[in-house]
Amino acid sequence: MPRPPSYDRDTALAKAVSLFWHKGYHGSSMKQIEQALDMRPGSIYATFGSKDGLFSEALASYAQQGGVDLSEHMAGYDSIVEGLQAYLRKIASSCTDVDCAPARACLIVKTLLEASSTNPALYSQAQSVLAAIETSFAELLESARTQGEIAAKTDCRRLARLLQSQIMGLRSMAERNLSATELEQLGDDMAAILESYRVRN
């Protein structure tokens, strides 16, 4: 009988996400990957096929967890607008934690910038992930519009793209080592954008 693998795939991917988030694709050597995942080279290649394969799965895992986090967060709010506003402030707050993987510059954005001229496949994957996130925001905003929370004339796709650009900018700004107060103020500013679309009863 073949021996069962001595690693947990999800754990390995979580470790890969952490490594790639800190060092990027090109900054992560195979030796560093072996050490981070605690796997031998043969096991890594047998499991993920290549460094590209591992990175692609890590990026997909990171994006999937982000989607789960958004869904779980929104489930705690009756108001979609208030839920999104709290989510934006939550992102701003998380950017003050240098040890928190989703904080600061997002792995997806880092990949987009790093792979744009060096790895078309990973660049395309990052583009697809960002497009899916934009769609998730747009669908939430469309529900808010249907429920009368935001103005009927709101272009939800455009607003979703604006919110996404604000989040990307916030995470880039966090690399400047702004204070917690300054980052939280930016979170409030993002929430104010949504407030400006809100219908007043």
Side-chain angles (χ1 to χ4, degrees), residues 85 88-89 92 163 166 182-196:
Q85 287 175 319
L88 295 171
R89 292 189 173 102
L163 293 179
Q166 292 293 313
E182 290 170 324
L183 288 169
E184 288 167 2
Q185 288 172 342
L186 289 174
D188 289 339
D189 291 340
M190 291 193 299
I193 292 174
L194 267 179
E195 191 66 25
S196 69

Side-chain angles (χ1 to χ4, degrees), residues 17-198:
V17 166
S18 179
L19 175 66
F20 289 133
W21 171 68
H22 281 96
K23 294 186 175 296
Y25 174 82
H26 293 297
S28 301
S29 68
M30 281 307 301
K31 180 59 67 177
Q32 289 170 325
I33 292 172
E34 293 166 27
Q35 293 173 345
L37 274 60
D38 192 22
M39 293 173 64
R40 295 181 180 277
S43 296
I44 294 174
Y45 286 110
T47 305
F48 300 105
S50 64
K51 179 181 176 180
D52 278 17
L54 171 62
F55 190 95
S56 178
E57 284 201 42
L59 186 62
S61 175
Y62 176 89
Q64 180 182 35
Q65 185 58 52
V68 170
D69 290 345
L70 175 60
S71 296
E72 290 180 349
H73 171 86
M74 293 303 299
Y77 290 84
D78 293 328
S79 165
I80 294 173
V81 170
E82 290 178 5
L84 284 172
Q85 287 175 319
Y87 182 73
L88 295 171
R89 292 189 173 102
K90 179 180 177 181
I91 291 175
S93 178
S94 74
C95 285
T96 66
D97 183 355
V98 297
D99 295 320
C100 182
R104 298 198 173 236
C106 172
L107 178 62
I108 303 165
V109 177
K110 283 186 173 182
T111 302
L112 188 73
L113 298 175
E114 187 178 19
S116 62
S117 60
T118 61
N119 195 313
L122 293 179
Y123 175 76
S124 177
Q125 183 180 357
Q127 285 273 31
S128 296
V129 170
L130 288 172
I133 294 171
E134 180 185 306
T135 295
S136 295
F137 282 138
E139 289 174 349
L140 285 168
L141 291 167
E142 286 165 4
S143 294
R145 184 177 61 188
T146 299
Q147 294 173 19
E149 284 196 64
I150 59 177
K153 64 180 182 180
T154 301
D155 183 335
C156 294
R157 175 65 63 171
R158 182 177 179 179
L159 179 55
R161 191 172 299 123
L162 174 61
L163 293 179
Q164 187 178 58
S165 71
Q166 292 293 313
I167 292 170
M168 292 167 67
L170 172 68
R171 285 175 162 159
S172 297
M173 287 290 287
E175 294 292 334
R176 292 184 52 200
N177 293 318
L178 299 180
S179 70
T181 298
E182 290 170 324
L183 288 169
E184 288 167 2
Q185 288 172 342
L186 289 174
D188 289 339
D189 291 340
M190 291 193 299
I193 292 174
L194 267 179
E195 191 66 25
S196 69
Y197 286 83
R198 200 166 187 175

